[in-house]
Amino acid sequence: MSASLDDMYRDIILDHYRSPRGREPLPMADFSTGGHNPACGDQLELAVKIDDDIVKDIYVDCKGCAISTASSSMLAEILKGKTVGEAKRIATIVRAMLKGDENVKIPEDLGDIDALEGVKKFPVRIKCALLAWVTFMEGLENYQNSTKKPDTLTTLE
Ligand code: ZN
């Protein structure tokens, strides 16, 4: 990877960190969930509004490092407006990419998310980038699998 590409990735991550998307609270959310990455101290609150099988809106508030905040901002930006199935597919791809699955390529229509690929070079930061995606997936699965909807807390091992 060239130095200029690294700079570009860093700029994208800093842009999301400085002006994170998805900060409007969602009082009518269909599910809300939390995430915690003890290795870094990142804390995340996530709320999702689903309407007619579409992810209508996402609220995400991340108190953590630049990587976790930028990653959660990207999640809010890219998953909003997607169908639930598509949102799940994207989160699965990003999670597999961050976990180092060489067979996974980030589709080009996912905007800024490829900037997260740069994080793979810094293994201690991978969990920071993963936090929002794993939290979203677990919250969604919990929402889909239960008739009552208790809040969940996802803690990365
Ligand atoms: Zn972090």
Side-chain angles (χ1 to χ4, degrees), residues 37 40 42 65 68 125 128:
N37 173 24
C40 178
D42 309 311
C65 65
S68 61
R125 311 317 295 276
C128 304

Side-chain angles (χ1 to χ4, degrees), residues 73-87:
S73 167
M74 289 176 189
L75 177 142
E77 183 174 77
I78 199 75
L79 297 189
K80 184 175 171 175
K82 298 284 193 288
T83 65
V84 170
E86 181 70 359

Side-chain angles (χ1 to χ4, degrees), residues 37 39-43 62-69 124-129 131:
N37 173 24
C40 178
D42 309 311
Q43 300 263 14
C62 183
K63 291 178 176 57
C65 65
I67 303 283
S68 61
T69 304
V124 294
R125 311 317 295 276
I126 289 175
K127 284 182 185 173
C128 304
L131 182 63

Side-chain angles (χ1 to χ4, degrees), residues 121-141:
K121 290 197 299 179
F122 307 97
V124 294
R125 311 317 295 276
I126 289 175
K127 284 182 185 173
C128 304
L130 266 175
L131 182 63
W133 303 90
V134 173
T135 302
F136 175 82
M137 291 282 281
E138 292 199 1
L140 181 62
E141 275 162 24

Side-chain angles (χ1 to χ4, degrees), residues 27-97:
M28 301 294 283
D30 288 284
F31 71 87
S32 58
T33 178
H36 182 212
N37 173 24
C40 178
D42 309 311
Q43 300 263 14
L44 182 79
E45 275 180 52
L46 190 78
V48 179
K49 176 83 191 134
I50 293 173
D51 230 349
D52 281 340
D53 202 41
I54 301 281
V55 177
K56 274 281 182 210
D57 217 342
I58 298 181
Y59 163 75
V60 57
D61 184 14
C62 183
K63 291 178 176 57
C65 65
I67 303 283
S68 61
T69 304
S71 186
S72 61
S73 167
M74 289 176 189
L75 177 142
E77 183 174 77
I78 199 75
L79 297 189
K80 184 175 171 175
K82 298 284 193 288
T83 65
V84 170
E86 181 70 359
K88 216 169 174 173
R89 192 181 70 84
I90 292 168
T92 304
I93 289 173
V94 175
R95 188 176 58 177
M97 180 276 287

